[in-house]
Amino acid sequence: MMLLLTALVAVSLVSLLIGAGSVGPGRVLALLSGTQDSEAHFIVWELRAPRTLIGILVGMALGVAGALLQAVARNPLAEPGLLGVSAGAAFAVALALVLGASAATLRISVAQLGALVGCVCVLSVARFRGVGNDPIRLVLAGAAFSGLLASLTSLILLYDQRAADEIRFWVIGSFAGRRLDDLLAVLPSMLVASVVVILIARPLAALALGERVASGLGHHPNLIRWLVVACVALLVGAATAIAGPIAFVGLVVPFVARAFAGPDIRRTLWFCLPIGPLIVLAADIISRVVVAPSELPLGVLTALCGAPVLIAVVRARRLPML
């Protein structure tokens, strides 16, 4: 864990050193040491620092949401991006933008509502006989749901050309142009979700042993599922509202976390906290460097990196059922 935290601090520092503007690493380090430099101060603290903090928060949210969704669906391929949860949040935000929503808090509430609908659809599909027990069928069902929402979003783009550029941001996912106000707007819902996750971690670990075992230990499986749905909706909705849909993070982060923590969901959730921001910030840094001075959309890069992980999990001789 200490190694992961050290790596996260190092990546966060690199994120401050590299980015938009003419301020290089030397001027950033001079600024951090106390040198007065108005241009460097603006670029670092107004552009790069909020972007880094948002990357940390989004990585935590998507990583924990992916682990929760996989645990409650008992499926290693249950991921917000693959199953349409992120797409539901993105579609809700796009619809809100067309209808004239401009306040950050309103966009966040709408995104969380869209994610909630997506979660309910996912768990409903997972309980169908022959679907929830088959990871491939569950992913196909999620892909169909995501495709439907993507088509509806495309119709919105055709309907309102004025909002097309802003809506396109929610389709590809990016941290560009995000401000500290956006981060502060999602903190309340993130804190509420964090408290609920702490409360349900032990019951969720009991649920992994089976509904009868969980009931025998005094837990209520249906209540646990609905609390997980609420947490995933809060986390994914908030992350999508400030960064757009970022695919495969909720798949890769729990996959790596279980390699460190084992099958215990409580340890997995703890390891998701540093691993999620580490992966997201690393991808964000690469997106700024690989096509400099332009910027590659973060959602595109995470899809390119996450697709091989998905293929590796699918091609495994025995998919681990959670």
Side-chain angles (χ1 to χ4, degrees), residues 23 27 31 36-47:
V23 176
R27 293 178 66 183
L31 176 65
Q36 298 297 324
D37 188 335
S38 58
E39 181 186 5
H41 184 278
F42 173 78
I43 291 177
V44 172
W45 299 116
E46 298 295 331
L47 297 180

Side-chain angles (χ1 to χ4, degrees), residues 182-231:
D182 299 316
L183 179 64
L184 296 176
V186 302
L187 279 181
S189 59
M190 292 286 194
L191 291 176
V192 171
S194 300
V195 172
V196 177
V197 169
I198 293 173
L199 294 176
I200 66 173
R202 186 182 295 272
L204 192 58
L207 186 61
L209 301 176
E211 291 192 9
R212 291 185 178 180
V213 174
S215 299
L217 293 174
H219 303 301
H220 304 280
N222 289 330
L223 178 61
I224 296 171
R225 290 192 185 94
W226 282 111
L227 288 175
V228 168
V229 167
C231 288

Side-chain angles (χ1 to χ4, degrees), residues 130-201:
V131 176
N133 295 328
D134 189 339
I136 308 302
R137 290 186 180 182
L138 184 62
V139 171
L140 290 175
F145 183 59
S146 298
L148 173 63
L149 294 176
S151 300
L152 294 176
T153 304
S154 299
L155 290 177
I156 293 176
L157 288 172
L158 295 175
Y159 173 77
D160 192 342
Q161 292 295 327
R162 295 176 302 171
D165 291 336
E166 191 171 3
I167 293 174
R168 195 172 291 114
F169 165 81
W170 304 107
V171 177
I172 59 176
S174 175
F175 295 150
R178 297 300 93 190
R179 301 172 300 173
L180 190 60
D181 294 341
D182 299 316
L183 179 64
L184 296 176
V186 302
L187 279 181
S189 59
M190 292 286 194
L191 291 176
V192 171
S194 300
V195 172
V196 177
V197 169
I198 293 173
L199 294 176
I200 66 173

